[in-house]
Amino acid sequence: MARPQEFDTAEALHKAMGVFWRKGYEATSLVDLLEATGLSKSSLYGTFGGKRELFLAAFDSYREERTRDMGQILNQGSAREAIETFFRTIIDVARASEFSRGCMSINQAVELAPHDPEIQGRVEEDFQRIEDALTYTIKRGQADGSVRSNKDARELARLFVVAFPGLQVMMRAGGNKPRLDDALRLILSNLD
Amino acid sequence: MARPQEFDTAEALHKAMGVFWRKGYEATSLVDLLEATGLSKSSLYGTFGGKRELFLAAFDSYREERTRDMGQILNQGSAREAIETFFRTIIDVARASEFSRGCMSINQAVELAPHDPEIQGRVEEDFQRIEDALTYTIKRGQADGSVRSNKDARELARLFVVAFPGLQVMMRAGGNKPRLDDALRLILSNLD
DNA sequence: ATTATACTGGACCAATCGGTCCTCAACTCG
DNA sequence: CGAGTTGAGGACCGATTGGTCCAGTATAAT
């Protein structure tokens, strides 16, 4: 019978995710990860396999969480409000914290995706997921009348998919309030 | 009388800029820079001071070049066409090369700006510059009739400033053609 | 020729990197 | 109790990192 594990794997993964989200992959060292998780090297390697494996697990965990969150927000209330809530949440969450992490998928679109097909595949999946969810929500809005624009739902969704990394990057870089508020208002006006 | 320098400083800087643009700061090693520039360590340190100093010089050089390019594009022809050309160029340049580097300022908005006030200042400056240039061009378009929208020029410009990193990030991550083309068409339609 | 000066090549350096390995620890089962 | 198994701590490792330093080089001036 083996010695029981002292730490909670999911919690350690969540801590690691926070570090990778904030610092990116290259700038995150093993010492950073050990400190954040409270694990010893042996425990970390034994459980996750290595830095890259831990990163992939953390990234996938992040993506699942965000997919779930997005689904919840976009399925609540009128479609128009849901889309607005989704985008305002980007800004509100970032403004509520001292350090703006942006979105891990967008960060990786810039850092690793250009050089690493495995990451690029995941990022492209995320973009596709956001596009599909927004397309569906816009169609819902065109049906319920909350989205007044009668342009093609997928085309509208694609505009919002481009706006998403735009907003995330600007928030991560420090976020000038009037610019973002004006931009978001105009972006959303495309639904009207 | 000193021994004359064998290499061209501007050319070495340009080579270094290319590496930093493609790989980012952390993932670029001294060996990468020495290979790209053809310099020895002593020459590199003697001329530029160190990795960070070289990076800052390269980044500033990049920003000056892009500012000039943007000015040229936005000052040519009707305002509406100029803005469209500016944004289509993002996509065309990326599609013409095997490796899509995106935009160094946007890449640094994600990589270093959140942790490094000196970089963050430069990135914010770049965003402001783009916003000012677009505001001016939109006003020009509203005066010459090529921009039919009568919304506030600065507000419109802010929408485009958010779209800019959105497009750059998506191109760097691999760029799905229909999504980008649809998104760009809709973004530009805000001028009509 | 010598001197002074900056340039070049590359050896050397301490610190850090991600990963391996060894020993001891914690547990159940027979 | 001993055996078997996985977990934990941390020493050890070779490679890499950014930076320093030393000896030789190239040039003009005296």
Side-chain angles (χ1 to χ4, degrees):
Chain A
M1 181 60 186
R3 173 180 176 172
Q5 194 173 277
E6 290 176 10
F7 60 90
D8 181 84
T9 302
E11 184 175 2
L13 185 64
H14 198 259
K15 291 291 173 63
M17 179 177 84
V19 182
F20 283 125
W21 188 353
R22 201 172 70 250
K23 302 185 83 165
Y25 181 77
E26 291 286 339
T28 298
S29 66
L30 249 306
V31 172
D32 293 331
L33 293 167
L34 299 181
E35 283 174 358
T37 57
L39 301 199
S40 70
K41 272 202 192 177
S42 303
S43 297
L44 190 144
Y45 277 87
T47 305
F48 299 109
K51 184 183 178 184
R52 184 182 167 87
E53 287 89 332
L54 175 57
F55 173 79
L56 288 175
F59 189 32
D60 286 343
S61 178
Y62 173 87
R63 294 165 60 241
E64 281 167 30
E65 280 182 31
R66 291 298 84 73
T67 300
R68 204 166 41 240
D69 291 346
M70 175 175 70
Q72 279 175 9
I73 296 177
L74 290 183
N75 285 325
Q76 235 170 354
S78 84
R80 176 63 170 73
E81 274 170 22
I83 293 168
E84 179 157 352
T85 300
F86 179 62
F87 281 89
R88 286 204 187 280
T89 302
I90 297 170
I91 297 177
D92 294 343
V93 165
R95 280 185 183 151
S97 79
E98 225 182 84
F99 182 89
S100 173
R101 298 174 296 191
C103 164
M104 200 171 166
S105 294
I106 304 303
N107 299 345
Q108 291 313 311
V110 173
E111 191 195 358
L112 296 179
H115 313 270
D116 186 329
E118 212 173 350
I119 304 298
Q120 184 184 33
R122 284 167 164 80
V123 168
E124 177 53 35
E125 230 177 73
D126 291 341
F127 284 143
Q128 193 61 48
R129 220 176 248 149
I130 299 172
E131 183 182 311
D132 293 341
L134 286 170
T135 301
Y136 177 81
T137 308
I138 289 168
K139 278 180 180 164
R140 177 159 76 85
Q142 290 171 331
D144 77 22
S146 64
V147 174
R148 274 173 287 150
S149 172
N150 54 17
K151 284 176 175 138
D152 181 66
R154 186 155 298 268
E155 285 181 19
L156 279 171
R158 284 172 172 168
L159 166 67
F160 283 85
V161 172
V162 165
F164 181 78
L167 289 166
Q168 291 285 11
V169 166
M170 302 193 85
M171 291 312 306
R172 182 165 167 98
N176 172 306
K177 189 171 155 62
R179 181 184 297 139
L180 289 164
D181 289 343
D182 281 354
L184 182 53
R185 189 168 49 265
L186 272 205
I187 289 160
L188 290 168
S189 76
N190 284 276
L191 297 174
D192 300 325
Chain B
M1 179 60 185
R3 172 180 174 172
Q5 197 173 276
E6 290 175 10
F7 61 90
D8 180 85
T9 302
E11 184 176 0
L13 184 64
H14 198 259
K15 291 291 174 64
M17 179 178 83
V19 182
F20 282 126
W21 186 355
R22 202 172 70 249
K23 304 186 82 167
Y25 181 77
E26 290 286 341
T28 298
S29 66
L30 250 306
V31 173
D32 293 330
L33 293 167
L34 299 181
E35 282 173 1
T37 57
L39 301 200
S40 70
K41 272 202 194 178
S42 302
S43 297
L44 190 144
Y45 277 88
T47 305
F48 298 108
K51 184 182 177 185
R52 181 179 169 88
E53 285 89 334
L54 175 57
F55 174 78
L56 287 175
F59 189 33
D60 286 342
S61 178
Y62 173 87
R63 294 164 62 243
E64 280 168 30
E65 281 182 29
R66 294 293 86 73
T67 300
R68 205 167 39 240
D69 290 347
M70 174 175 71
Q72 279 175 7
I73 295 176
L74 291 183
N75 284 327
Q76 238 172 348
S78 84
R80 176 61 171 71
E81 274 170 22
I83 293 166
E84 180 158 352
T85 300
F86 178 62
F87 281 90
R88 288 205 186 279
T89 301
I90 297 169
I91 297 176
D92 295 344
V93 166
R95 282 186 181 150
S97 78
E98 225 184 82
F99 184 88
S100 172
R101 299 173 294 189
C103 164
M104 200 169 165
S105 294
I106 303 303
N107 300 343
Q108 290 313 313
V110 171
E111 188 191 2
L112 296 178
H115 313 270
D116 187 329
E118 213 172 349
I119 304 298
Q120 183 184 36
R122 283 166 166 80
V123 168
E124 176 53 36
E125 229 176 74
D126 292 342
F127 285 142
Q128 193 61 46
R129 221 176 250 150
I130 299 172
E131 181 181 311
D132 292 341
L134 286 170
T135 301
Y136 178 81
T137 307
I138 289 166
K139 278 179 181 166
R140 180 160 72 87
Q142 288 172 330
D144 77 23
S146 63
V147 173
R148 275 173 287 153
S149 171
N150 53 19
K151 285 176 173 136
D152 181 67
R154 186 157 297 272
E155 286 182 18
L156 278 169
R158 284 172 174 168
L159 166 68
F160 284 85
V161 173
V162 165
F164 180 79
L167 290 164
Q168 292 284 10
V169 166
M170 302 194 83
M171 292 310 309
R172 184 166 166 97
N176 171 306
K177 189 171 155 65
R179 181 183 295 139
L180 290 165
D181 290 344
D182 283 354
L184 183 54
R185 188 166 355 95
L186 271 204
I187 288 161
L188 290 168
S189 75
N190 283 278
L191 297 174
D192 302 325

